[in-house]
Amino acid sequence: MDNKTLVKEALAAREMAYVPYSGFAVGAALLTKEGKIYRGCNIENAAFSPTNCAERTAFFKAVSEGERNFEAIAIVGGPAGNPPVDFCYPCGVCRQVMAEFCSDDFTVIIGKSEDEFKEHKLSDVLPYTFREPDLHR
Ligand code: THU
């Protein structure tokens, strides 16, 4: 699967964002090692704290379907109603969720459009991780 295709999936996912409070729409497309894609959007709430980011929506959909092996995620975000004008990096909580289920070489693609995107490794966007083995040190 090429990066462009995954960014296009993230842009489609972004169309579903439920963002009446921030007006900031985010989409994510999570690719499993078997080639399946799970889409996610951000879902906000009047009580604010129950809000779920697009990346975590995609991960929780996939994990709840039994998926455990992930290759890459594409993320796009920006003011709702218009195409993204800038790169939207994942928040710290979403990076930590990625670290729970993905190794350091997991690919994080940040898109502005289907033709403009950057590719990183999880270890670049979240160095010095805290993972399960750290509980036993
Ligand atoms: N948001 C995401 O969906 N992903 C991120 O990584 C950054 C923030 C959402 C949460 C909230 O609905 C809106 O963007 C503004 O913070």
Side-chain angles (χ1 to χ4, degrees), residues 45-125:
N45 191 284
F48 291 3
S49 63
T51 291
N52 208 55
C53 288
E55 299 89 324
R56 277 177 289 142
T57 301
F59 266 94
F60 296 160
K61 282 173 68 178
V63 171
S64 67
E65 295 295 326
E67 302 286 0
R68 292 292 186 275
N69 299 309
F70 301 105
E71 185 75 32
I73 191 168
I75 304 160
V76 294
N82 289 299
V85 290
D86 213 339
F87 295 106
C88 172
Y89 276 83
C91 79
V93 172
C94 289
R95 294 177 200 210
Q96 182 63 24
V97 169
M98 291 176 202
E100 182 68 26
F101 295 105
C102 306
S103 52
D104 281 349
D105 65 348
F106 177 71
T107 301
V108 180
I109 302 155
I110 312 295
K112 209 190 276 190
S113 70
E114 63 180 64
D115 294 313
E116 207 177 347
F117 44 79
K118 301 192 222 182
E119 182 180 322
H120 302 278
K121 292 297 172 191
L122 178 57
S123 56
D124 297 325
V125 296

Side-chain angles (χ1 to χ4, degrees), residues 17-54:
Y18 175 75
V19 290
Y21 307 105
S22 74
F24 192 86
V26 185
L30 177 61
L31 177 68
T32 70
K33 287 201 186 289
E34 289 182 338
K36 194 166 173 189
I37 294 173
Y38 288 84
R39 291 181 180 178
C41 63
N42 52 337
I43 304 168
E44 299 186 343
N45 191 284
F48 291 3
S49 63
T51 291
N52 208 55
C53 288

